Amino acid sequence: MSQLIIRGGSRLEGETEIQGAKNSVLPILAATLLTAGQVELRGCPRLRDVDASVRILEGLGCTARWEGPDTLTVDTRSLEGCAVSEALMREMRSSAIFLGAILARCGQAELSYPGGCELGPRPIDLHLSGLRDLGAEIDDAGGVLHCKALRLRGREVVLSFPSVGATENLMLAACGASGVTTIANAAREPEIVDLQGFLTACGARVSGAGTSTVSVEGGRTLHGCTYTVMPDRIAAATYLCAAASAGGEIFLRRAREEHLSTVTAVLREAGCAIRSDEEGVACACRGRPAAVRPVRTAPYPGFPTDAQAILMAALLRCRGAAVFEENMFENRYRHVDELARMGANIRVSGRAAVVTGVERLHGAPVRCTDLRGGAALCVAALAAEGETEVSETGHIDRGYEDIARDLRALGAEARRLER
């Protein structure tokens, strides 16, 4: 078991390179199954969720190996199965993304319902109904998905909600369908654009990613490729919020402000000076942050739910009060009780949380409740007096390569302690 030990109270000064995007590389790893070839993924982050995806691929008969610090080579030519074990499915929520890819490659698939952070109900109903629209027969009796599709057929699929996972699953399945598939009310996240970029590099014809209508011309034979994963916008948001929390000046190489403009807009309102160019994003924060207008999470291009807890932690010492409204997941405030251990003043009522700024925070033993909640504890610890011990860090490892390393590069006192 490991802990993160963070000593706060010092301004940050330094720079770090933003890792490849967790929420981009996971669907791309699933998409490698469509190629029946070899794929070289550059800028691939070393995360627990990536390890889980690799184990799923290996369980299906594929091979994967690391070459250097951030290059993962995947060979799916030796695929020999279409079933994913319950143990592997329970490791992460996004394991459901393998359904569309396996179905397109094999014509059948067997998976259990996925696991992941306990953030409240995140049904995959939209995934299943969309796949049924393409011709899949799905029996979910007993908690296991038995899927069969001897022939997928392209058609228009209208999503009732712009689900990222459903959009990705349908894009993958549509690559193996005959004809053209149009996904209406599709998710617009940058990670969808990155998945389109990967599929295109493999020879697929996909267009419209980044808009609400994605079109896939199926039935094409895909090949392997070399592809570089986009930088992680939530990791970049985390370190920008770290600077807002502790104060200081930092530079994030590879970060793209156009991917996180709703976050930088709030940080500017809080008093941070932010500039960006093709090299990355620089942020300078002095003094306690100012209170900001209400922050409401929403599908992209709205404020990302993944950054809600992290921004909340950055505003714990704001001058005044800040209001948050969580519209994506019902259990996304589980980190609040842990922040209160550090002296935070937060009141929660339903989907709303009101943060009243305090002058001082103090170090305390705290526990990660989920991936982004754990990152929020690290952000708050940077502004706290004394040492904070963050336990159950396995949640953080699902989305950050080495958060202690990156915080040290930015000038923080942070270390991992193995017990």
Side-chain angles (χ1 to χ4, degrees):
M1 181 180 295
S2 65
Q3 289 181 319
L4 289 171
I5 311 298
I6 300 173
R7 177 170 291 278
S10 301
R11 287 168 53 84
L12 301 185
E13 184 174 351
E15 64 176 61
T16 192
E17 182 169 323
I18 297 301
Q19 67 187 47
K22 164 189 177 288
N23 291 334
S24 185
V25 74
L26 300 182
I28 287 176
L29 285 171
T32 62
L33 291 172
L34 301 174
T35 68
Q38 183 169 290
V39 170
E40 183 180 280
L41 286 181
R42 297 178 179 175
C44 184
R46 295 203 176 210
L47 309 172
R48 278 186 59 190
D49 276 9
V50 169
D51 290 340
S53 293
V54 167
R55 287 195 293 275
I56 289 175
L57 289 169
E58 291 175 338
L60 294 170
C62 308
T63 61
R65 66 182 185 276
W66 288 97
E67 297 180 350
D70 66 350
T71 298
L72 180 65
T73 298
V74 178
D75 193 330
T76 64
R77 287 173 290 190
S78 56
L79 177 74
E80 59 184 15
C82 61
V84 180
S85 72
E86 179 182 5
L88 289 175
M89 287 296 295
R90 287 189 176 278
E91 287 195 33
M92 61 176 184
R93 171 65 55 173
S94 51
S95 56
I97 197 63
F98 280 89
L99 178 56
I102 297 174
L103 203 55
R105 174 84 179 270
C106 303
Q108 58 182 329
E110 184 177 305
L111 300 82
S112 65
Y113 278 89
C117 291
E118 298 298 329
L119 301 177
R122 291 192 281 178
I124 60 172
D125 296 4
L126 291 180
H127 303 232
L128 303 184
S129 63
L131 292 172
R132 287 187 174 110
D133 285 343
L134 296 182
E137 299 177 7
I138 303 174
D139 178 4
D140 59 355
V144 177
L145 299 170
H146 300 276
C147 311
K148 186 177 296 184
L150 298 181
R151 186 178 181 188
L152 294 170
R153 292 179 173 85
R155 57 161 293 178
E156 181 181 31
V157 179
V158 181
L159 297 177
S160 59
F161 177 83
S163 161
V164 174
T167 299
E168 293 168 339
N169 237 333
L170 289 172
M171 289 171 67
L172 300 185
C175 287
S178 60
V180 176
T181 298
T182 301
I183 306 167
N185 197 28
R188 299 164 57 189
E189 274 75 359
E191 292 80 7
I192 302 290
V193 179
D194 211 30
L195 178 58
Q196 174 180 284
F198 172 77
L199 292 172
T200 300
C202 293
R205 287 188 179 175
V206 186
S207 61
T211 74
S212 58
T213 303
V214 176
S215 179
V216 182
E217 181 183 321
R220 297 175 63 85
T221 300
L222 305 189
H223 52 75
C225 71
T226 297
Y227 192 78
T228 301
V229 180
M230 64 173 273
D232 195 308
R233 61 192 174 105
I234 304 302
T238 301
Y239 300 134
L240 291 174
C241 287
S245 178
E249 298 185 25
I250 66 170
F251 181 70
L252 305 178
R253 294 191 303 279
R254 292 190 72 224
R256 300 181 191 171
E257 189 180 1
E258 65 267 25
H259 290 168
L260 50 119
S261 57
T262 52
V263 177
T264 56
V266 176
L267 291 176
R268 285 191 174 98
E269 187 179 348
C272 298
I274 298 174
R275 59 178 177 81
S276 62
D277 56 28
E278 64 277 2
E279 298 296 325
V281 178
C283 178
C285 305
R286 296 176 177 82
R288 290 172 61 188
V292 299
R293 287 170 290 184
V295 176
R296 298 179 174 89
T297 63
Y300 191 87
F303 191 91
T305 182
D306 279 354
Q308 174 258 108
I310 298 160
L311 178 64
M312 180 183 290
L315 296 178
L316 295 179
R317 297 176 59 249
C318 71
R319 299 187 301 274
V323 177
F324 290 80
E325 183 180 305
E326 175 54 55
N327 297 307
M328 304 298 287
F329 297 120
E330 66 181 34
N331 291 338
R332 201 95 209 212
Y333 291 136
R334 297 176 68 213
H335 57 281
V336 166
D337 288 345
E338 299 303 308
L339 291 175
R341 293 174 178 269
M342 303 170 70
N345 183 353
I346 308 171
R347 289 182 294 109
V348 175
S349 178
R351 292 185 176 274
V354 179
V355 177
T356 302
V358 297
E359 284 197 23
R360 292 182 176 83
L361 297 170
H362 53 79
V366 292
R367 177 182 64 88
C368 294
T369 56
D370 57 82
L371 168 55
R372 306 306 175 184
L377 297 179
C378 296
V379 168
L382 296 170
E385 298 175 354
E387 260 187 9
T388 296
E389 299 176 4
V390 183
S391 63
E392 298 188 29
T393 58
H395 290 293
I396 297 176
D397 296 337
R398 288 186 47 237
Y400 297 84
E401 274 194 337
D402 189 339
I403 198 169
R405 175 201 67 195
D406 290 343
L407 290 176
R408 286 195 302 272
L410 296 175
E413 291 187 47
R415 71 183 191 278
R416 182 182 291 268
L417 181 63
E418 301 293 341
R419 291 187 181 275

